[in-house]
Amino acid sequence: KPRILPVFGCGLFKRQIFDSLGLIDPSLRYSEDHDWFLRAKERKTLIKIIAAITLTKRIHADSMTDGTQWKDVDILKVLKKSLDRRRVNGAIVELQQLSDYAKED
């Protein structure tokens, strides 16, 4: 079963979505795309997934994340920020699964 990972490099976005959600958080060196996509999911932004390869990722020894461990890529910081946003008013908003997004037939 294919995995769907949120990556900016293969997306096409309308300007209005950035006006609504904000830009990428410049304080994050890693996982900035995950942070942005979590903000989109929290606001129930429609994301349409197409069944086409739109990005080829090249991994090499000089890659920014080569040899980097999960604890070093800001993912815990990003998840905490998301949880804090969803705890507003004492309620945690349930996020839909990425697989629940609209897929193109």
Side-chain angles (χ1 to χ4, degrees):
K1 186 174 179 181
R3 290 183 61 188
I4 300 168
L5 298 173
V7 178
F8 271 112
C10 59
L12 182 62
F13 306 92
K14 291 183 179 182
R15 170 66 193 209
Q16 294 90 339
I17 197 68
F18 288 100
D19 294 338
S20 172
L21 297 174
L23 300 175
I24 297 169
D25 183 345
S27 73
L28 296 170
R29 178 177 169 125
Y30 301 102
S31 302
E32 67 284 353
D33 45 0
H34 294 288
D35 177 64
W36 191 89
F37 278 100
L38 279 171
R39 284 187 275 144
K41 287 172 62 176
E42 290 162 18
R43 293 205 182 166
K44 302 193 183 316
T45 302
L46 176 65
I47 296 174
K48 190 167 193 167
I49 298 171
I50 59 171
I53 295 173
T54 57
L55 176 74
T56 302
K57 183 177 179 180
R58 188 176 138 238
I59 300 173
H60 53 85
D62 293 330
S63 291
M64 192 166 104
T65 55
D66 183 55
T68 306
Q69 297 182 13
W70 279 104
K71 66 180 181 66
D72 299 324
V73 293
D74 292 333
I75 195 66
L76 294 177
K77 182 178 181 181
V78 165
L79 293 173
K80 174 74 167 91
K81 286 173 52 174
S82 175
L83 184 59
D84 289 346
R85 285 190 300 265
R86 291 182 286 129
R87 283 181 168 157
V88 172
N89 296 326
I92 295 180
V93 177
E94 185 177 330
L95 297 178
Q96 70 184 112
Q97 298 293 318
L98 198 55
S99 60
D100 294 338
Y101 283 114
K103 293 182 183 176
E104 186 175 59
D105 298 323

